[in-house]
Amino acid sequence: MLGFVAPALVIYLLMVIVPSVQTLQLSLTNWDGISAGYDYVGVQNYQDIVASGRFWNAVRNTLILGLGSALIVNVISLVVALMLDRLNHAQGLFRTAVYLPALVSAFIMATIWKYLLNYNFGSVNTVLRDMGLPEWARDWLGDSSIVLWVILFITCFTLGGNTTLIYLANLQSVPQELIEAARIDGASSAQVFWNVTWPMIAGAVTVNMTLAMIAGWVIFDQVLVLTSGGPGFVSETMAFFIYKVGFGEYRAGFGSAAAVVLFIVVIVSTVAANAYMRKREIQA
């Protein structure tokens, strides 16, 4: 049995565990990412991170995108799944249509949206101008007051397919006799949902919220393609901040420290949220 597990275990150790330990080691150095040598500086990188306004801006953006996308995607996906579950015809067609955005990589999707939102020739502003609403045309990716919300919208548009199908699969596994019994007792559609359906899909809510939160914490492709963290540092997320300081500014030690912080944030937030939702499952 060990012989079957050993190859995968070795690959996992070499590709995940060893680099993770090395990241922790480099976070205590002043390595620039290029030089052969470096000096240990202890927790100086972590102290610099705590004092960095740019880092806390990235933390704020990550929280907005992570929690925002998780909540919005789950609400919309659940509503769409409920609609699909009620369909009697062409359910497969609509299910495929809902899932299609998930087949496109975040990088490609962001590239498409970058052209659509271009201020000068993008389709969004062009349509607004043709409709006689030129004052509504905006520099969607260059306006610091709205750029983060634009990225949030694009992120939600990308993540919904898998979430919807998970909800739909769970909705179709809810025993119909329970729903029929509730209706016979005079329960309204809303009462049936909150007292029968909602508790039965609690496991799906936990899975989808956890996956969406993890995806939100490590948003990178959208920021890289759409804004490169701009204007200025306004739209940087923690993942992009790590990339920028580590590879763009040649502060690999500082970037490694930020990566360790991100890892801790992801683990703590995910475990806490998962524990809360598991507790809700039991209560339900």
Side-chain angles (χ1 to χ4, degrees):
M1 190 66 174
L2 183 61
F4 289 102
V5 177
L9 181 61
V10 170
I11 293 175
Y12 183 78
L13 288 172
L14 293 177
M15 301 299 293
V16 178
I17 302 300
V18 173
S20 298
V21 173
Q22 190 175 28
T23 298
L24 181 61
Q25 174 199 358
L26 293 175
S27 71
L28 304 174
T29 72
N30 62 355
W31 189 43
D32 59 9
I34 299 176
S35 303
Y38 49 77
D39 298 320
Y40 283 91
V41 295
V43 296
Q44 183 62 48
N45 288 325
Y46 294 95
Q47 293 174 348
D48 292 341
I49 285 176
V50 172
S52 172
R54 179 182 171 189
F55 172 77
W56 289 113
N57 175 71
V59 171
R60 181 186 72 88
N61 292 344
T62 302
L63 288 174
I64 292 174
L65 293 176
L67 293 176
S69 62
L71 292 173
I72 294 172
V73 166
N74 274 273
V75 170
I76 294 177
S77 296
L78 180 56
V79 172
V80 173
L82 287 169
M83 294 170 62
L84 288 175
D85 189 47
R86 293 174 179 269
L87 286 178
N88 295 321
H89 304 286
Q91 189 183 94
L93 175 63
F94 286 102
R95 187 186 307 173
T96 302
V98 168
Y99 186 70
L100 279 177
L103 298 177
V104 182
S105 72
F107 185 91
I108 295 175
M109 185 68 71
T111 302
I112 294 172
W113 276 106
K114 184 175 183 179
Y115 283 102
L116 291 175
L117 297 174
N118 184 276
Y119 179 75
N120 295 312
F121 57 80
S123 299
V124 174
N125 282 344
T126 299
V127 170
L128 291 174
R129 294 184 184 111
D130 291 343
M131 292 174 61
L133 300 170
E135 67 278 5
W136 287 21
R138 302 285 294 273
D139 186 4
W140 303 100
L141 301 177
D143 188 338
S144 59
S145 64
I146 62 172
V147 63
L148 191 64
W149 307 109
V150 173
I151 295 175
L152 176 59
F153 168 79
I154 295 172
T155 302
C156 293
F157 185 84
T158 306
L159 296 178
N162 290 321
T163 309
T164 300
L165 291 188
I166 292 174
Y167 278 132
L168 181 59
N170 278 262
L171 286 170
Q172 294 180 340
S173 67
V174 175
Q176 290 300 308
E177 54 268 22
L178 294 179
I179 296 177
E180 292 172 3
R183 288 174 177 165
I184 291 173
D185 289 339
S188 64
S189 296
Q191 290 173 325
V192 170
F193 175 78
W194 286 113
N195 295 291
V196 179
T197 306
W198 180 250
M200 295 295 292
I201 63 171
V205 175
T206 299
V207 171
N208 281 333
M209 282 295 295
T210 301
L211 293 176
M213 285 179 60
I214 293 174
W217 291 155
V218 295
I219 288 175
F220 173 80
D221 293 3
Q222 295 91 332
V223 176
L224 175 66
V225 174
L226 294 170
T227 65
S228 294
F233 303 124
V234 170
S235 62
E236 283 188 339
T237 59
M238 290 179 68
F240 186 82
F241 173 82
I242 293 167
Y243 161 78
K244 192 68 174 179
V245 298
F247 298 98
E249 301 174 10
Y250 303 106
R251 293 191 290 166
F254 186 81
S256 297
V260 172
V261 173
L262 175 59
F263 174 78
I264 294 173
V265 169
V266 171
I267 291 297
V268 171
S269 61
T270 302
V271 170
N274 205 279
Y276 170 78
M277 288 184 285
R278 291 292 182 190
K279 182 179 179 181
R280 189 189 67 83
E281 287 182 39
I282 296 174
Q283 292 175 344

